[in-house]
């Protein structure tokens, strides 16, 4: 069964450094998302992306964050200048159709640790 | 704004018992979609079940069943004959078109004891 794949599985970065989290969504999916989960807390929406542009973003997704689909397969989340509070698990998700009961399929996540 | 409430923070059962996880949601949208996801200790999010707002028929899939009641805005999830491998955090999630995102509840930690 097709999967969403995320790399790396764990990223350790110094505060203030830039980090790029990578995702390969399921190949025939059109809608892409990033969520994050601070340890022990609920999963929070960051951003949705369709047709090469952002569809929706949350208050968390400030100017330090950006997303890109640089080619036909990858979907990246960049944090420009990381802060301690950016430490979390970041999940990429994709779905074929949005306004439907098609579930969002999640990758295994990237655990980001900011030192 | 959307909201999902999972009042049960932790549940502990003995293997083979049935367990029901509660979920209450809030939305003003008339069309919406509800999901349950499982997060085992390894951390990934695994899709389990889904329900449309316009289909109140309850279903059973293997050991999983769900009870969707629009009148009480509830979408409860039952595992029959629980197994140790069911131990995980279970999240209820809501998707509405106006928000274009999944809104998750805070999760219920289920522990199934041997």
């Amino acid at each position: 069964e097709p999967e969403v794949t995320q790399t790396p599985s764990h990223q350790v970065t110094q505060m203030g450094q830039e980090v790029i989290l990578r995702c390969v969504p399921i190949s025939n999916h059109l809608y892409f998302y990033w969520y994050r989960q601070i340890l022990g807390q609920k999963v929070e929406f960051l951003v949705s992306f369709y047709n090469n542009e952002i569809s929706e973003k949350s208050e968390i997704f400030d100017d330090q964050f950006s997303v890109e689909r640089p080619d036909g397969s990858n979907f990246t989340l960049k944090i420009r200048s990381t802060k301690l509070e950016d430490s979390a698990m970041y999940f990429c998700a994709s779905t074929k159709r949005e306004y439907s009961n098609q579930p969002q399929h999640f990758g295994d996540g990237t655990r980001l640790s900011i030192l | 704004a959307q909201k999902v409430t999972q009042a049960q923070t932790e549940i502990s059962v003995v293997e083979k018992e049935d367990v029901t996880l509660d979920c209450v949601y809030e939305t003003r949208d008339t069309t919406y979609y509800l999901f349950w996801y499982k997060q085992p200790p390894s951390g990934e999010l695994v899709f389990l079940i889904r329900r449309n707002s316009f289909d109140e028929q309850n279903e059973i899939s293997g050991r999983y069943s769900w009870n969707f009641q629009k009148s009480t805005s509830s979408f409860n999830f039952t595992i029959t004959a629980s197994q140790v491998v069911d131990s995980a955090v279970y999240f209820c999630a809501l998707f509405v078109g106006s928000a274009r995102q999944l809104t998750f509840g805070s999760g219920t930690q289920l522990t199934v004891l041997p």
Side-chain angles (χ1 to χ4, degrees):
Chain A
E1 187 173 324
E3 293 181 340
V4 176
T5 56
Q6 290 187 243
T7 54
S9 56
H10 191 188
Q11 174 83 45
V12 182
T13 302
Q14 291 287 332
M15 188 173 62
Q17 295 296 306
E18 175 183 287
V19 65
I20 296 176
L21 309 183
R22 302 181 192 280
C23 169
V24 179
I26 295 173
S27 63
N28 62 349
H29 285 189
L30 302 175
Y31 299 86
F32 315 117
Y33 309 84
W34 283 101
Y35 294 82
R36 80 169 186 193
Q37 184 183 31
I38 294 170
L39 186 63
Q41 297 187 24
K42 70 163 101 176
V43 179
E44 300 174 290
F45 168 76
L46 292 178
V47 66
S48 60
F49 192 85
Y50 170 71
N51 201 24
N52 280 321
E53 57 184 35
I54 291 173
S55 313
E56 196 72 41
K57 59 183 181 179
S58 71
E59 292 174 353
I60 303 168
F61 194 88
D62 62 21
D63 293 344
Q64 293 300 310
F65 290 87
S66 63
V67 289
E68 195 177 33
R69 188 154 162 82
D71 52 43
S73 59
N74 290 284
F75 179 51
T76 61
L77 174 69
K78 183 196 291 187
I79 309 175
R80 258 180 277 283
S81 178
T82 50
K83 303 187 278 270
L84 292 176
E85 53 264 37
D86 293 328
S87 294
M89 180 77 96
Y90 288 79
F91 290 103
C92 174
S94 70
T95 188
K96 191 184 297 188
R97 286 165 54 199
E98 194 170 59
Y99 294 88
S100 75
N101 66 349
Q102 291 293 315
Q104 292 181 20
H105 293 273
F106 285 79
D108 287 350
T110 293
R111 182 166 299 285
L112 178 63
S113 300
I114 307 300
L115 305 178
Chain B
Q2 284 60 240
K3 188 176 177 183
V4 176
T5 301
Q6 294 179 253
Q8 303 153 310
T9 308
E10 294 182 27
I11 299 177
S12 188
V13 298
V14 177
E15 204 171 19
K16 296 194 181 127
E17 286 184 358
D18 298 348
V19 59
T20 295
L21 308 181
D22 298 335
C23 173
V24 173
Y25 61 92
E26 294 175 33
T27 179
R28 290 186 178 176
D29 283 49
T30 55
T31 299
Y32 49 87
Y33 305 91
L34 293 159
F35 304 87
W36 277 95
Y37 285 86
K38 173 182 177 180
Q39 187 173 45
S42 47
E44 70 271 25
L45 283 166
V46 180
F47 162 71
L48 295 176
I49 60 172
R50 76 191 101 187
R51 175 54 61 201
N52 309 328
S53 58
F54 43 87
D55 183 358
E56 290 197 63
Q57 182 178 354
N58 294 311
E59 290 188 24
I60 297 173
S61 175
R63 294 189 298 113
Y64 298 155
S65 62
W66 47 102
N67 185 341
F68 172 47
Q69 296 208 348
K70 215 166 178 176
S71 59
T72 56
S73 297
S74 65
F75 183 51
N76 298 336
F77 173 60
T78 297
I79 303 174
T80 303
S82 59
Q83 300 173 0
V84 172
V85 293
D86 295 328
S87 297
V89 180
Y90 289 81
F91 289 98
C92 180
L94 168 69
F95 183 90
V96 302
S98 59
R100 310 191 73 172
Q101 61 190 260
L102 278 173
T103 300
F104 283 82
S106 53
T108 298
Q109 170 72 60
L110 173 64
T111 303
V112 181
L113 303 168

